[in-house]
Amino acid sequence: MRLTAFTDFGLRTLMYLASLEEEQLSSVSEVASIYNVSQNHMVKVIGQLAKLGYVQTIRGKNGGIRLAMKPADINIGDVIAKMENHLDGVDCISTSCQLIPCCELKHALAEAMNAFLDTMRRYTLADLVANKSELIPLMVAR
Amino acid sequence: MRLTAFTDFGLRTLMYLASLEEEQLSSVSEVASIYNVSQNHMVKVIGQLAKLGYVQTIRGKNGGIRLAMKPADINIGDVIAKMENHLDGVDCISTSCQLIPCCELKHALAEAMNAFLDTMRRYTLADLVANKSELIPLMVAR
């Protein structure tokens, strides 16, 4: 059971941006290169983060991307809930499951998924980069 | 965020077997046909359920498969914990994530995954097929 790659890289992008100095700009290609994923995929991830108001994109020659909110104001449970397409735990529809009309599994999974999100809602982006001082030398060393 | 297809079909197999009469036998091909998945995949899923002691396989001409335990004794959280390979939420290793040495995300995800499993541990297989009477006509109608 894992987050989709889309959400996963969304969270890592936010963590990376939070590790930079407050006004420092990064770029899609920089984030893609750090995490060794395709720039195309990162365009979509960062586009969604911008649409959701977490990331600010500044156009032009000296443009780039940065956090649009303070790390302490970015709730990780909310980021996951907004980025994940599938918070149902199982795919009942595309498998045409015969159990759909009377299945209790999906209710149990919905309850468990809420417990997962409630736990993640106790964290902000600031908590995830609390040891920022250890993070920066790693980024510089790459 | 979803269970792997392996766990998902493991749970559905258990639900189907629990919907049958106590000593009634089913077969890998029957379960594969109900859920419209390949028999090869189902051999692996049911093999693992047997290895874990949830399913009994009876060899020979009149052989088949059935539950090896009472539905009320099969804890759904435990089934998920035993069937899922990846309960870490994100794949840090194969992406060679630079954040590994100081990442707080994986701790938060581990805590949230425990909350998910704890919720699922409140359910047994008997709870999931509580409305068995609605389930049986569906199976017969196929």
Side-chain angles (χ1 to χ4, degrees):
Chain A
M1 208 170 96
R2 279 179 170 167
L3 298 174
T4 58
F6 191 75
T7 309
D8 180 357
F9 285 111
L11 291 173
R12 295 193 216 196
T13 300
L14 293 178
M15 289 176 72
Y16 176 63
L17 296 180
S19 78
L20 304 177
E21 293 305 311
E22 204 159 327
E23 292 299 301
Q24 201 183 330
L25 292 173
S26 179
S27 66
V28 170
S29 57
E30 187 181 55
V31 180
S33 121
I34 284 169
Y35 295 124
N36 201 24
V37 284
S38 86
Q39 199 160 324
N40 271 350
H41 187 63
M42 237 28 193
V43 165
K44 290 178 201 160
V45 170
I46 293 171
Q48 185 62 16
L49 290 172
K51 207 173 146 187
L52 294 170
Y54 295 124
V55 163
Q56 188 181 10
T57 57
I58 294 147
R59 294 183 188 277
K61 203 179 151 197
N62 298 314
I65 58 166
R66 66 183 170 202
L67 289 182
M69 293 163 71
K70 288 210 166 87
D73 294 332
I74 297 183
N75 184 292
I76 297 303
D78 288 345
V79 175
I80 293 175
K82 288 171 185 169
M83 295 286 282
E84 279 284 305
N85 277 327
H86 304 297
L87 281 169
D88 45 6
V90 285
D91 181 9
C92 308
I93 305 305
S94 73
T95 54
S96 321
C97 183
Q98 309 260 351
L99 304 176
I100 287 178
C102 53
C103 178
E104 289 299 321
L105 176 60
K106 58 175 185 281
H107 301 135
L109 284 169
E111 197 186 326
M113 207 59 88
N114 280 337
F116 176 92
L117 285 177
D118 283 348
T119 307
M120 293 309 288
R121 282 200 176 96
R122 297 208 295 264
Y123 292 88
T124 72
L125 182 57
D127 300 322
L128 299 192
V129 293
N131 41 13
K132 196 172 154 177
S133 57
E134 291 173 48
L135 207 66
I136 295 165
L138 281 171
M139 297 299 177
V140 173
R142 77 195 159 79
Chain B
M1 207 170 98
R2 280 180 169 165
L3 298 173
T4 58
F6 191 75
T7 309
D8 181 356
F9 285 110
L11 291 173
R12 295 193 215 196
T13 300
L14 294 178
M15 288 175 74
Y16 176 63
L17 296 179
S19 77
L20 303 178
E21 293 304 312
E22 207 161 324
E23 291 298 302
Q24 201 183 329
L25 292 174
S26 179
S27 66
V28 171
S29 58
E30 187 179 55
V31 181
S33 122
I34 284 169
Y35 295 124
N36 201 24
V37 285
S38 85
Q39 198 160 323
N40 271 351
H41 188 62
M42 237 28 191
V43 165
K44 289 179 202 160
V45 170
I46 293 171
Q48 185 62 15
L49 290 172
K51 206 173 148 187
L52 294 171
Y54 295 123
V55 164
Q56 189 181 9
T57 57
I58 294 148
R59 294 183 188 274
K61 204 180 149 197
N62 299 313
I65 58 167
R66 65 183 171 203
L67 288 182
M69 292 164 72
K70 289 211 167 83
D73 294 332
I74 297 183
N75 183 292
I76 298 302
D78 288 346
V79 175
I80 294 176
K82 287 172 185 168
M83 295 287 282
E84 280 283 305
N85 277 326
H86 304 298
L87 280 169
D88 45 5
V90 285
D91 180 11
C92 308
I93 306 304
S94 73
T95 54
S96 319
C97 184
Q98 308 260 349
L99 305 176
I100 287 177
C102 53
C103 181
E104 289 299 320
L105 175 62
K106 58 176 187 282
H107 301 134
L109 284 169
E111 198 187 325
M113 208 59 90
N114 280 337
F116 176 91
L117 286 176
D118 284 347
T119 307
M120 293 309 289
R121 282 198 176 99
R122 297 209 295 263
Y123 291 88
T124 72
L125 183 57
D127 301 321
L128 299 192
V129 294
N131 40 13
K132 195 171 154 179
S133 57
E134 292 174 48
L135 207 67
I136 295 165
L138 281 171
M139 296 300 178
V140 174
R142 80 196 156 78

